[in-house]
């Protein structure tokens, strides 16, 4: 099956949904292709407090509002897992082909990739078999399963501290484990974590092994990076927030990625392949936030509109 559009957006997070608004309002026949629920990382964020005009709102609510807006001007939501993009880097007017896992082919002269990033694994013994059995990468999704239990959060950035505070709504104790002594987070997040009586911050340690009883996580081995001493924490839940990698495997044949796999784009969010754009966390950039993602999506859609209508 082949479906044709003017503008295809791969990914329905904040960047993709914003691009859908701008492109469809401008009159482009637009579709968003998404393999999961719309919203991206908003769905995994308990509280958004840095979106201008809204002091505080659940991430899921903002995602729902954005999705409703993104389709209000005619943009279509298509389900699909993209496995490859075929594009002629020398002919800017040629149709690009977006191939999906189920065999569906989408065609459009302009394509925006807004697939974001995927959480990085710890790569330690016991991790793979315990994902979903005590290991979770989404506190909002799974926090309630750990009511009155002890859990550990891995990482010292904004996500780890904010989600640790959220987990105190359920867990009896939350241990934040940091490799270093320096936080990589905003001061407001640091202050909130330090002030919470249910949170213990353990610095200069790394996780080395996840323990289980055959059905569920029941412990975590950690090692002091300075003394090499080991200890075991009795925890039922483990929430790693140690970074993420871009979801760009389907672009490897197009030479538009840097060494880390992020898309390289210009100020119009366009790659070296004409009318192939990147937006949001998937791009090579310094700040990955909702506000920067929507900025990217708007710029890309507007640039595509002008070039398609020229």
């Amino acid at each position: 099956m082949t479906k044709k559009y003017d503008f295809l957006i791969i990914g329905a997070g904040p960047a993709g949904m914003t691009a859908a608004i701008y492109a469809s309002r401008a009159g482009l026949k637009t579709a968003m292709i998404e393999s999961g629920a719309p919203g991206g990382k908003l769905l995994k964020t308990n509280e958004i407090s840095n979106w201008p005009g809204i002091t505080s709102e659940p991430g899921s609510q903002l995602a729902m509002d954005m999705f409703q807006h993104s389709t209000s001007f005619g943009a279509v939501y298509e389900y699909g897992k993209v496995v490859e993009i075929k594009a002629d880097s020398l002919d800017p007017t040629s149709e690009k082909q977006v191939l999906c896992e189920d065999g569906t082919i989408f065609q459009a002269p302009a394509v925006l990739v807004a697939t974001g990033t995927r959480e990085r694994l710890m790569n330690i013994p016991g991790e793979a078999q315990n994902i979903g059995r005590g290991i979770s990468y989404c506190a909002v999704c799974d926090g309630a399963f750990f009511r009155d239990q002890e859990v550990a959060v891995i990482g010292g950035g904004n996500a780890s501290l904010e989600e640790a505070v959220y987990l105190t709504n359920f867990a009896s104790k939350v241990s934040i484990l940091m490799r270093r002594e320096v936080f990589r987070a905003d001061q407001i997040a640091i202050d909130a974590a330090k002030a919470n009586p249910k949170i213990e911050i353990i610095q200069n340690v790394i996780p080395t092994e996840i323990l289980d009883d055959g059905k569920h996580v029941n412990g975590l081995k950690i090692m002091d990076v300075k003394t090499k001493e080991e200890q075991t924490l009795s925890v039922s839940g483990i929430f790693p927030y140690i970074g993420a990698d871009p979801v760009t495997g389907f672009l490897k044949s197009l030479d538009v990625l840097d060494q880390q796999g992020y898309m390289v784009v210009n100020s119009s969010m366009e790659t070296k392949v004409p009318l192939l754009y990147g937006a949001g966390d998937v791009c090579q950039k310094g700040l990955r936030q909702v506000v920067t993602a929507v900025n990217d999506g708007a710029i890309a859609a507007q640039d595509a509109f002008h070039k398609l209508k020229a």
Side-chain angles (χ1 to χ4, degrees), residues 128-195:
Q129 64 265 38
N130 283 304
I131 293 175
R133 301 196 313 174
I135 298 177
S136 171
Y137 301 90
C138 178
V140 176
C141 309
D142 300 326
F145 294 120
F146 299 94
R147 191 175 300 276
D148 299 323
Q149 300 175 55
E150 295 188 14
V151 301
V153 173
I154 317 297
N158 278 319
S160 60
L161 300 188
E162 290 168 358
E163 300 312 296
V165 170
Y166 172 75
L167 285 167
T168 60
N169 291 305
F170 311 101
S172 58
K173 179 181 179 181
V174 180
S175 297
I176 299 176
L177 311 179
M178 297 173 50
R179 177 189 291 268
R180 303 178 180 87
E181 295 180 2
V182 179
F183 292 96
R184 295 175 290 103
D186 298 331
Q187 192 61 48
I188 189 171
I190 297 171
D191 292 343
K194 287 184 174 180

Side-chain angles (χ1 to χ4, degrees), residues 22 25 54 65 78 80 84 115 123 139 142 150 221 268:
Y22 275 75
R25 283 183 76 245
I54 298 175
D65 293 342
E78 298 269 15
E84 186 180 2
T115 44
N123 294 314
D142 300 326
E150 295 188 14
K221 287 186 177 181
S268 297

Side-chain angles (χ1 to χ4, degrees), residues 14 40 50 186 188 229 242 265 267 274 284 286:
N50 55 3
D186 298 331
I188 189 171
E229 292 182 1
I242 55 174
V265 297
S267 59
Q284 184 186 72

Side-chain angles (χ1 to χ4, degrees), residues 73-89:
F73 298 105
V76 177
Y77 180 80
E78 298 269 15
Y79 177 81
K81 182 178 180 180
V82 175
V83 294
E84 186 180 2
I85 296 179
K86 293 183 177 180
D88 186 342
S89 61

Side-chain angles (χ1 to χ4, degrees), residues 25-46:
R25 283 183 76 245
L28 298 180
K29 185 180 180 183
T30 303
M32 293 182 290
I33 307 171
E34 173 60 62
S35 61
K41 284 189 169 55
L42 285 176
L43 298 176
K44 299 180 180 181
T45 305
N46 174 51

